[in-house]
């Protein structure tokens, strides 16, 4: 490192009096030192004050401009060197060098600017002010169709530079889009899909741009999807690591484009779209990544009733069930989760529920009851809950399934996984609400589910409180004798008193709590608990409630309490 100090001193002198030979030698020494220990060498370069001299060596006339740009690219790999490079006034001369015709100069300049922009607000601002982005896009456009290796390397560096320049910065991304970067990148991707580094770079750039909402449609209209499908087609059978990465990035990007409502609907084309058809063909493939992307894409297409109905009528359910069947044993969790997400979305329109039930979806889904993976458990519960909505027969069949009910009761205690816990409670309640069946209630009582429904009545979500109260009222109306002891030990009466006395309780909660109180009067022990807690006081106050239904129910409940006391 002593020789480095000498080099830096020598460089200061030669940079000023421009002795070309010794200058070249000094720069070579610096590059060698950077190759051996980049961080330490960069610290010494910064301390020496030599960065300020570099600006004068970056002029178009300078014979060593490529080497200097290379040194800047190397030192800018260190975060602590990026602002000093900006402060030393290096950005403007570097951007001027982008007008050079020399390929090596362009390559090193692109690297230097790209590294200075990496994660650096100051670097990006300086490049923005110097007008660097437009020159790079113009280069990409004019060099786009040349496929020799040196040119492809330059294109890759330029794409990388634009990515570092605009990453996670909406206004700079918008600027690139206005400069016409999208069609240029789509064209690059189409021409150079054999070049792994360049393809990956383009795909990541699109991934960044596609985060902006309105842009998804622009990307679709620019023909990006056709390019992605082509990449998938080419890489699907390869086991080379580069190809596997590209297949993943490409198919993930395809799914990302479907997150925009307009772009999704454009690609669906009433279910006739070639893109939709191609994505369908991914589901039965043997490639896990494609199965995953296919299932996620279907879940995204299934975001409105029309699409859902069309897909169910055209056999998508059978394809998804076959896919799930292939993953019962080996258990690829991401594929299971994606396929269940798609089925859950497809089950939302009322008209699809009976069709999916008769296709055997519940049986296919129940195979995953033994899964220990919370994301799979969560989607499984959501799918079953969607399927039995207003489907009495299916709700009764599931509600009498002891294995299922016992698993639900177990999951109702999954304190670490609030989502699974909430969904299990909601499904327990739904089984009772939609079946209105004594047998279902008996199964749930025997499996120890009552206490969970009582706890659910105190949830912070009004919708869940309500579902619990309605289910409990049905239990009290149909099987009070069976459930009596469990309702007592779960302290239901005290909870109802609290809900009625609490001013913050929603009107529907107060209404359903009073309905439930009336239903509980049929049990001697619960009736006694109601008498012991001054319910009359609370209820008579509600007679003047602003909500008509609540006020009426309060009058009825008051009569009932007075008669029974």
């Amino acid at each position: 490192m002593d020789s480095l100090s000498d080099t830096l001193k020598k460089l200061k002198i030669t940079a000023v009096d421009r002795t070309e030979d010794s200058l070249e030698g000094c720069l070579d020494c610096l590059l060698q030192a950077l190759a051996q220990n980049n961080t330490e060498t960069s610290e010494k370069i910064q301390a020496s004050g030599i960065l300020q001299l570099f600006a004068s060596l970056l002029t178009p006339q300078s014979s060593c401009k490529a080497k200097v740009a290379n040194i800047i690219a190397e030192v800018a790999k260190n975060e602590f060197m990026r602002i000093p490079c900006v402060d030393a006034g290096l950005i403007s001369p570097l951007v001027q060098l982008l007008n050079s015709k020399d390929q090596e100069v362009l390559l090193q300049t692109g690297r230097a600017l790209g590294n200075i922009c990496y994660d650096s607000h100051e670097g990006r601002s300086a490049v923005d002010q110097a007008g660097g982005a437009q020159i790079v896009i113009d280069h990409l456009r004019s060099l786009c169709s040349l496929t020799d290796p040196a040119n492809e390397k330059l294109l890759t560096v330029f794409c990388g530079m634009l990515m570092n320049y605009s990453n996670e910065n909406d206004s700079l991304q918008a600027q690139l889009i206005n400069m016409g970067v999208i069609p240029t990148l789509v064209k690059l991707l189409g021409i150079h899909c054999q070049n792994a580094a360049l393809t990956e770079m383009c795909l990541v750039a699109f991934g960044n741009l596609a985060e902006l909402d309105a842009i998804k449609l622009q990307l679709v209209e620019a023909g990006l999807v056709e390019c992605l499908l082509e990449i998938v087609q080419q890489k699907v059978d390869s086991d080379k690591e580069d190809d596997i990465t590209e297949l993943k990035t490409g198919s993930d990007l395809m799914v990302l484009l479907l997150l925009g409502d307009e772009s999704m609907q454009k690609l669906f084309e009433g279910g006739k779209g070639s893109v939709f058809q191609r994505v369908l063909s991914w589901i039965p493939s043997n490639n896990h990544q494609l199965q995953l992307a296919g299932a996620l894409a279907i879940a995204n297409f299934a975001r409105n009733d029309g699409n859902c109905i069309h897909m169910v009528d055209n056999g998508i359910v059978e394809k998804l069930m076959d896919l799930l069947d292939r993953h019962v044993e080996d258990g690829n969790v991401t594929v299971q989760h994606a396929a269940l997400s798609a089925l859950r979305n497809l089950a939302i329109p009322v008209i699809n529920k009976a069709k999916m039930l008769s296709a055997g979806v519940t049986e296919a889904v129940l195979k995953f009851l033994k899964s220990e993976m919370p994301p799979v458990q969560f989607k499984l519960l959501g799918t079953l809950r969607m399927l039995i909505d207003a489907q009495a027969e299916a709700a009764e069949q599931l509600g009498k399934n002891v294995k299922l009910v016992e698993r639900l009761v177990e999951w109702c205690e999954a304190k670490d996984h609030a989502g699974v816990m909430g969904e299990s409670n909601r499904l327990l309640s739904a089984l009772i609400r939609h079946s209105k069946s004594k047998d279902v209630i008996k199964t749930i009582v025997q499996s120890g589910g009552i206490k969970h429904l009582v706890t659910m009545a105190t949830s912070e979500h009004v919708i869940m409180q309500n579902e619990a109260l309605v289910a409990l009222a049905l239990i009290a109306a149909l099987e009070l004798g069976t459930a009596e002891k469990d309702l007592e030990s779960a302290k239901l009466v005290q909870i109802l008193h609290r809900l009625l006395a609490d001013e913050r309780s929603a009107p529907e909660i107060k209404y359903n709590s009073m309905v439930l109180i009336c239903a509980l009067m049929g049990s001697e022990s619960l009736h006694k608990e109601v008498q012991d807690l001054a319910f009359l006081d609370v209820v008579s106050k509600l007679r003047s409630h602003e909500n008509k239904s609540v006020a009426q129910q309060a009058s009825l409940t008051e009569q009932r309490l007075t008669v029974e006391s």
Side-chain angles (χ1 to χ4, degrees), residues 312-459:
V312 168
D313 287 346
N314 285 277
I316 188 67
V317 171
E318 290 68 19
K319 285 193 170 71
L320 289 167
M321 279 165 41
D322 290 345
L323 176 60
L324 276 175
D325 251 2
R326 295 161 69 181
H327 288 279
V328 175
E329 294 313 320
D330 79 330
N332 181 313
V333 176
T334 46
V335 176
Q336 290 173 1
H337 180 259
L340 288 167
S341 294
L343 285 172
R344 181 195 175 282
N345 288 1
L346 290 166
I348 292 174
V350 178
I351 193 170
N352 280 356
K353 296 181 198 294
K355 293 174 184 169
M356 291 175 72
L357 288 166
S358 60
V361 173
T362 38
E363 294 74 12
V365 169
L366 286 172
K367 290 177 186 165
F368 294 91
L369 258 189
K370 53 182 189 290
S371 169
E372 291 304 329
M373 292 298 176
V376 174
Q377 296 167 352
F378 180 72
K379 285 297 176 190
L380 170 148
L381 292 163
T383 307
L384 291 177
R385 190 164 63 78
M386 281 303 157
L387 280 170
I388 63 164
D389 193 7
Q391 308 293 312
E393 204 178 312
E396 177 158 16
Q397 207 182 340
L398 279 178
K400 293 194 293 197
N401 178 333
V402 179
K403 268 206 173 104
L404 169 65
V405 174
E406 284 177 347
R407 192 70 159 137
L408 291 183
V409 170
E410 182 190 330
W411 285 340
C412 282
E413 290 164 12
K415 299 267 187 295
D416 302 342
H417 300 289
V420 172
M421 199 162 104
E423 277 292 339
S424 305
N425 277 304
R426 293 190 75 184
L427 183 52
L428 264 188
S429 151
L431 291 170
I432 295 171
R433 287 182 298 113
H434 298 303
S435 72
K436 302 185 174 53
S437 147
K438 290 180 169 227
D439 290 338
V440 171
I441 293 171
K442 284 178 187 158
T443 309
I444 289 175
V445 172
Q446 280 152 9
S447 307
I450 295 296
K451 63 174 185 287
H452 296 300
L453 289 170
V454 175
T455 308
M456 182 180 168
T458 63
S459 158

Side-chain angles (χ1 to χ4, degrees), residues 151-178:
N151 189 60
E152 286 194 324
K153 191 175 177 190
L154 182 56
L155 288 170
T156 308
V157 165
F158 279 159
C159 279
M161 187 219 132
L162 289 181
M163 254 174 53
N164 288 353
Y165 172 69
S166 65
N167 190 26
E168 290 183 355
N169 183 315
D170 288 359
S171 66
L172 291 180
Q173 287 182 351
Q175 177 197 67
L176 293 183
I177 289 164
N178 291 336

Side-chain angles (χ1 to χ4, degrees), residues 517-529:
I517 285 291
C518 295
L520 294 176
M521 302 297 263
S523 146
E524 211 172 304
S525 52
L526 292 166
H527 184 172
K528 186 173 180 324
E529 286 189 14

